[in-house]
Amino acid sequence: MTSGPLAGCRVVELGGIGPGPFAGMLLADLGAEVVRVDRPERAKEPDAGGPADVLNRGKRSVVLDLKHPAGPAALLRLAERADVLIEGFRPGVTERLGIGPHDCLARNPRLVYGRMTGWGQDGPLAAAAGHDISYIALTGALGAIGAAGGPPQIPLNLVGDFGGGGCYLVIGVLAALHAVQRTGRGQVVDAAIVDGTAHLLASTFGKLGRGEWTDERGVNRFDGGWPFYAVYAAKDGGHLAVGALEPKFYRCLLDLLGLDDIDPGSQHDSSTWPHLRARLEQRFAQRTRDEWAALFEGTDACVAPVLSLTEAAAHPHLAARATLTAPDGVVQPAAAPRFSATPSSAGATAPEVGADTLAVLRDWAVGGVDALLDSGAAVQRPAH
């Protein structure tokens, strides 16, 4: 049994990619029992389970053929015994399979049915294909990121898939679970990446409305437009991230850089910024990234080295907090956030797809397990 705050919560995750599995991983890290239901063909894929399948850690794996006549019925029996079901198909797919919200809530009125899509369950683009880059483009987020005069820069798929998508699905699921405790009724959570990404832009839209943000790239406070909130190249080609926004932090930055000729009182005089940026570029280019990092470490100048993914795992602060771990040699994040009374933890390595089919169907008292396996509606991966 897990000790996380969601211990005792049962989650069925219909196998997908990106934000759905991330949401399932987060729920598992928080202590929920997460059963991932995959298609039979998924078991043939090379990355199906194992240490590097990080998004499926802490889950159990069941293979059900939802196109088989007996497959949807088996899924509905899992839904009867679950607190949460999450799926990431296009709108209408689960309804056509007979496992949509109406079907599941009819069997289990307390169920929280979480839906993860890019465009949402309705709207002109609801049925269209897309990916993270499509969704953040339409919300304005992509257009706001990048250097002045340059093209938009892709922020990995963090802003859409995982920030605006998976995290908002989990927020919705947790809120709906809380509502179940009050009302006794489950509901559908419509988590759309476009909605979540737009929500993440709340502060930026507020600044735009107040006239504190210019609707173009690379000229604003948090997009590199201000020279004391920007990235600078070091002598060795490494980079330093500077975030000295407040006057006292700015003074500390100038002191440690030895820029005695810069008046800290003129920090917000934008007419001085071209000269200031040139001086900062010139100064940072005089030492290596790590030399600067050693000088600024632990100070209030708000300067940090820009690390690679590999380097991040070795940084003393992240190491001291065990922010990143490496089970089976695969670097990955530890569970977050942290709890004082009900500690969360990253679960065991993702099992091979279908490794738990028999055990889960029996544990969840689905019934007719042998018939499901004999018919091919359910598939148990052979033990090695």
Side-chain angles (χ1 to χ4, degrees):
M1 295 292 292
T2 61
S3 59
L6 290 183
C9 178
R10 281 182 160 183
V11 178
V12 174
E13 174 195 329
L14 301 189
I17 60 173
F22 175 76
M25 182 201 78
L26 181 48
L27 293 170
D29 286 353
L30 294 175
E33 178 186 352
V34 179
V35 169
R36 178 179 167 100
V37 178
D38 273 304
R39 303 182 305 274
E41 54 267 30
R42 169 70 174 151
K44 302 174 184 177
E45 298 176 9
D47 63 342
D53 191 6
V54 175
L55 293 185
N56 287 314
R57 71 187 186 191
K59 305 174 185 178
R60 293 204 285 175
S61 175
V62 169
V63 168
L64 290 179
D65 185 352
L66 296 178
K67 295 181 180 179
H68 187 286
L75 190 283
L76 289 173
R77 291 200 291 274
L78 288 175
E80 286 178 9
R81 293 156 177 78
D83 300 290
V84 178
L85 184 147
I86 58 177
E87 59 95 0
F89 297 111
R90 292 197 206 189
V93 170
T94 59
E95 283 86 349
R96 290 194 294 274
L97 290 171
I99 55 172
H102 177 78
D103 305 290
C104 290
L105 286 164
R107 299 289 192 97
N108 180 0
R110 295 175 62 89
L111 182 70
V112 173
Y113 195 105
R115 315 196 80 171
M116 182 77 260
T117 60
W119 305 114
Q121 294 298 314
D122 53 33
L125 294 176
H131 275 296
D132 174 288
I133 194 170
S134 319
Y135 313 131
I136 68 172
L138 211 66
T139 62
L142 181 60
I145 301 171
Q153 295 297 305
I154 303 169
L156 304 183
N157 60 335
L158 300 178
V159 174
D161 279 352
F162 301 124
C167 283
Y168 275 85
L169 175 58
V170 170
I171 291 169
V173 163
L174 296 179
L177 283 172
H178 180 70
V180 170
Q181 300 305 310
R182 293 186 296 105
T183 68
R185 297 192 305 274
Q187 60 184 301
V188 178
V189 177
D190 174 6
I193 295 174
V194 289
D195 295 348
T197 302
H199 200 259
L200 290 172
L201 287 165
S203 175
T204 306
F205 277 116
K207 292 181 178 66
L208 183 65
R210 293 192 300 272
E212 298 173 3
W213 191 271
T214 301
D215 199 9
E216 56 184 281
R217 288 185 293 281
V219 298
N220 297 287
R221 181 184 305 182
F222 296 120
D223 62 5
W226 291 16
F228 38 87
Y229 196 92
V231 174
Y232 291 93
K235 181 180 180 180
D236 60 348
H239 291 85
L240 286 303
V242 176
L245 287 174
E246 292 79 3
K248 63 180 180 179
F249 300 155
Y250 181 62
R251 287 193 296 271
C252 183
L253 171 70
L254 296 180
D255 288 344
L256 289 171
L257 287 174
L259 295 178
D260 301 331
D261 58 318
I262 302 295
D263 175 15
S266 65
Q267 179 181 5
H268 292 286
D269 180 356
S270 59
S271 69
T272 68
W273 287 357
H275 174 69
L276 173 61
R277 191 181 297 273
R279 294 286 284 117
L280 290 171
E281 290 174 347
Q282 180 186 54
R283 190 72 179 101
F284 277 113
Q286 292 175 354
R287 298 186 187 182
T288 67
R289 182 198 70 176
D290 291 346
E291 287 171 340
W292 285 122
L295 175 67
F296 286 109
E297 185 80 33
T299 74
D300 283 350
C302 299
V303 177
V306 178
L307 303 181
S308 69
L309 294 172
T310 303
E311 290 174 318
H315 189 276
H317 183 78
L318 300 188
R321 288 182 58 80
T323 298
L324 294 169
T325 61
D328 300 300
V330 177
V331 176
Q332 58 191 272
R338 305 181 186 201
F339 300 84
S340 61
T342 55
S344 56
S345 64
T349 292
E352 292 183 311
V353 171
D356 306 303
T357 301
L358 179 59
V360 168
L361 295 179
R362 286 178 173 170
D363 291 348
W364 286 43
V366 167
V369 175
D370 290 339
L372 288 170
L373 293 171
D374 289 345
S375 69
V379 178
Q380 168 66 41
R381 191 184 190 95
H384 293 301

